[in-house]
Amino acid sequence: MVNEDRTAVARQAAEAGAAVAVERFRTEIDVEQKEGKTDVVTQADRDAQVAVIDAIREPYPEDAIVGEEEDELKVIPDSGAAWVIDPIDGTNNYVRGTRVWGTAVASVRDEEPLAGATHFPALDDVYWTDGEQTYRNGDPVTVSTTDDPEAGVVAPTLWWDFDARDQYGRACQAIVDRFGDLRRVGCAQAALAGVADGSLDGVVTNLRANPWDTVAGVAMIRAAGGTVTDLDGERWRHDSVGLVASNGHVHETMLDAAQEIGRIE
């Protein structure tokens, strides 16, 4: 029952944030740069985060909240219950009018995910997991059965800034050398959801990911039968260096590709 409650709240909170964000999608909004020219934020991000937090605080007023915007925690606590939220994952897509963006919410305890949800309102898709099964729009989904890398489709994820474009180039080269095709999604949670539902066979980065970009999607992949590790093939954690996610069947080839990109601490 506890996990069912947290799954329900994750879904409600993701829906609340997405409802705020979609109202302003493809409208005139002010865009601010954060640390880079493609690292942007809008007032819609901030307002959507408030809606997500309000939906969580009512049933769980004492839980920690880890979030991308404003003054929320930036690191998942070592112990206790916490929520990891991203009001608009894929903000660069959002501000350009591209539909691939969403609101992600994950419930964790003692650093381990219990439940997660990501709402992609412009795509009319909602994903969630209770830790045992992953669903898209209410229907159970599983990872793909592709076992031939040359038939596989893989996405490089997160963003290599201008001082790391050599790694971005190596990531793309490593993928196209080994796999049938490459997708650049522009939204980490959408890419991870794609592995969970089988529309992608893998996702890779050598970067240390932010928890709000990854935790909900990683939980979905694992519950859908997939594999998520760090660059060394060890079980991925929210503070791991690198993220290699796959359907499991092509994971060794995914690791080869990841290691070719190079390690960044």
Side-chain angles (χ1 to χ4, degrees):
M1 177 62 75
V2 172
N3 217 31
E4 289 180 6
D5 291 345
R6 288 182 174 272
T7 303
V9 171
R11 292 176 59 188
Q12 291 162 7
E15 181 179 359
V20 170
V22 78
E23 284 185 357
R24 302 180 196 175
F25 182 53
R26 292 180 174 173
T27 67
E28 292 294 326
I29 54 176
D30 291 331
V31 180
E32 304 168 33
Q33 290 181 6
K34 293 196 284 188
E35 295 183 4
K37 293 182 180 180
T38 59
D39 185 11
V40 296
V41 66
T42 70
Q43 189 60 44
D45 292 83
R46 299 186 181 102
D47 292 345
Q49 179 154 301
V50 170
V52 171
I53 291 171
D54 286 347
I56 293 168
R57 283 285 182 232
E58 184 174 353
Y60 295 105
E62 303 302 322
D63 286 5
I65 294 181
V66 179
E68 180 173 14
E69 310 303 341
E70 303 303 313
D71 296 326
E72 302 306 322
L73 294 175
K74 304 306 175 189
V75 178
I76 296 176
D78 294 340
S79 61
W83 296 82
V84 184
I85 67 173
D86 193 341
I88 302 178
D89 186 54
T91 302
N92 206 35
N93 282 350
Y94 178 86
V95 301
R96 287 177 172 270
T98 302
R99 295 176 183 271
V100 186
W101 57 271
T103 301
V105 178
S107 172
V108 303
R109 182 178 295 279
D110 301 335
E111 301 183 301
E112 284 295 318
L114 301 175
T118 308
H119 194 130
F120 301 101
L123 298 174
D124 202 24
D125 280 333
V126 184
Y127 292 77
W128 72 87
T129 182
D130 56 10
E132 296 181 1
Q133 175 68 61
T134 298
Y135 302 86
R136 182 187 60 208
N137 301 332
D139 297 321
V141 294
T142 62
V143 296
S144 73
T145 58
T146 303
D147 58 9
D148 179 358
E150 293 186 3
V153 180
V154 171
T157 196
L158 304 183
W159 187 244
W160 291 267
D161 212 339
F162 282 94
D163 61 355
R165 286 303 168 91
D166 57 334
Q167 296 174 48
Y168 187 11
R170 288 200 299 271
C172 294
Q173 190 68 56
I175 290 169
V176 299
D177 282 348
R178 292 168 173 82
F179 294 94
D181 205 354
L182 177 150
R183 297 285 186 273
R184 174 68 190 171
V185 179
C187 172
Q189 294 286 9
L192 295 169
V195 177
D197 74 5
S199 56
L200 290 172
D201 302 302
V203 164
V204 63
T205 186
N206 65 326
L207 303 176
R208 188 191 300 273
N210 292 315
W212 47 83
D213 291 328
T214 50
V215 172
V218 167
M220 291 175 196
I221 292 170
R222 287 175 172 158
T227 301
V228 189
T229 71
D230 64 12
L231 297 180
D232 298 317
E234 300 296 324
R235 190 174 191 275
W236 185 87
R237 287 171 37 90
H238 64 87
D239 54 1
S240 292
V241 175
L243 185 154
V244 185
S246 79
N247 62 8
H249 303 294
V250 297
H251 202 77
E252 289 303 315
T253 308
M254 291 289 302
L255 284 170
D256 288 344
Q259 290 160 6
E260 188 170 304
I261 303 169
R263 186 176 295 274
I264 185 170
E265 298 295 337

